């Protein structure tokens, strides 16, 4: 196994999947267990149905979905950090500007270096979707815009794009497949 690939897989698994994503999956249950005394609810002027931290947070809409968006954002950051290190260590030619934030440019540059991603195209498409979710998660609070809709063919313009446990895990699995593909195809690290 390529040590660079293994380190990045372990980092993504622990930092993104086992920390950020785990928090996204447990926060609602944990918040339901945090009950407020009635005196606090009254003093804060909250409605009578606000009994727990979960009830309080739900006054702002389904904000727990935002944690799944953060999981996707973190996964995309993992991809960027890995790609940057691969390009630096192997001396691959990179593009200009925020190159590593543009997955299509990174993949194209790797193909120019001789990589063939045809066998993992469905994983690449899931990662491309992740980067589009990252974009609207950072710039639009997860709300679908014309650009997202035209690039993905998904979502309703003006509405939040739903991110949940299932589709995040599909993206994480796609990243693991991408890493495995590179592990099988990267040459030994230069000395």
């Amino acid at each position: 196994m390529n040590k660079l690939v293994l380190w990045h897989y372990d980092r993504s698994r622990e930092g993104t999947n086992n920390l950020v994503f785990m928090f996204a999956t447990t926060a609602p249950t944990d918040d339901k267990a945090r009950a407020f005394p009635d005196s606090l609810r009254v003093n804060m002027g909250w409605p009578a149905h606000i009994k727990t931290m979960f009830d309080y947070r739900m006054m702002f809409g389904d904000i727990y979905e935002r944690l799944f968006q953060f999981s996707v954002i973190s996964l995309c950051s993992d991809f960027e950090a890995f790609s940057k290190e691969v390009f630096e260590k192997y001396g691959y030619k990179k593009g200009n500007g925020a190159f590593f934030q543009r997955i299509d440019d990174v993949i194209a540059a790797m193909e120019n270096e001789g990589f063939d991603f045809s066998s993992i195209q469905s994983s690449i498409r899931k990662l491309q979707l992740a980067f589009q979710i990252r974009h609207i998660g950072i710039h639009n609070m997860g709300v679908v815009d014309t650009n997202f809709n035209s690039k993905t063919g998904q979502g309703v313009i003006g509405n939040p794009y739903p991110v949940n446990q299932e589709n995040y895990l599909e993206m994480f699995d796609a990243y693991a497949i991408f890493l495995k593909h590179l592990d099988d195809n990267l040459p030994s690290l230069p000395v």
Side-chain angles (χ1 to χ4, degrees):
M1 171 152 255
N2 183 302
K3 290 181 181 182
L4 177 64
V5 174
L6 178 60
W7 189 87
H8 277 277
Y9 174 74
D10 287 345
R11 181 176 183 263
S12 181
R13 183 194 64 224
E14 292 308 318
T16 295
N17 201 61
N18 291 353
L19 181 62
V20 179
F21 173 68
M22 179 184 275
F23 184 68
T25 61
T26 60
T29 302
D30 292 347
D31 283 353
K32 287 175 184 175
R34 294 179 59 202
F36 294 133
D38 283 337
S39 60
L40 175 64
R41 181 189 52 75
V42 170
N43 288 340
M44 296 302 291
W46 295 335
H49 74 279
I50 304 299
K51 306 269 187 217
T52 65
M53 181 59 85
F54 177 84
D55 301 330
Y56 168 75
R57 289 189 170 145
M58 289 303 290
M59 285 193 315
F60 304 101
D62 188 7
I63 63 171
Y64 292 102
E65 187 174 296
R66 185 79 173 136
L67 296 174
F68 289 109
Q69 290 174 7
F70 287 138
S71 298
V72 173
I73 291 166
S74 183
L75 184 64
C76 292
S77 294
D78 293 336
F79 178 95
E80 284 182 52
F82 173 69
S83 298
K84 183 177 182 185
E85 192 164 359
V86 164
F87 276 68
E88 288 172 357
K89 295 238 185 236
Y90 288 93
Y92 295 157
K93 186 177 189 303
K94 66 178 184 117
N96 297 320
F99 172 74
F100 295 106
Q101 293 178 17
R102 300 185 307 266
I103 185 171
D104 294 339
D105 291 353
V106 170
I107 296 298
M110 293 186 87
E111 289 172 337
N112 288 339
E113 296 290 344
F115 288 91
D116 178 6
F117 295 107
S118 59
S119 65
I120 63 165
Q121 277 305 299
S122 69
S123 294
I124 298 291
R125 282 190 296 277
K126 282 184 177 48
L127 291 172
Q128 289 167 326
L129 175 61
F131 270 77
Q132 292 302 313
I133 291 169
R134 174 187 183 226
H135 182 79
I136 62 170
I138 290 171
H139 299 288
N140 298 352
M141 290 292 293
V143 174
V144 174
D145 58 17
T146 305
N147 188 44
F148 178 91
N149 182 264
S150 67
K151 286 185 176 181
T152 66
Q154 297 186 36
V156 177
I157 297 170
N159 290 332
Y161 183 81
V163 181
N164 58 33
Q165 183 172 345
E166 182 181 334
N167 56 23
Y168 162 76
L169 285 173
E170 289 174 356
M171 292 172 205
F172 182 82
D173 290 345
Y175 184 55
I177 289 167
F178 174 79
L179 290 175
K180 174 68 174 127
H181 185 76
L182 286 186
D183 184 51
D184 292 342
N185 291 284
L186 277 170
S188 297
L189 280 171
V191 179

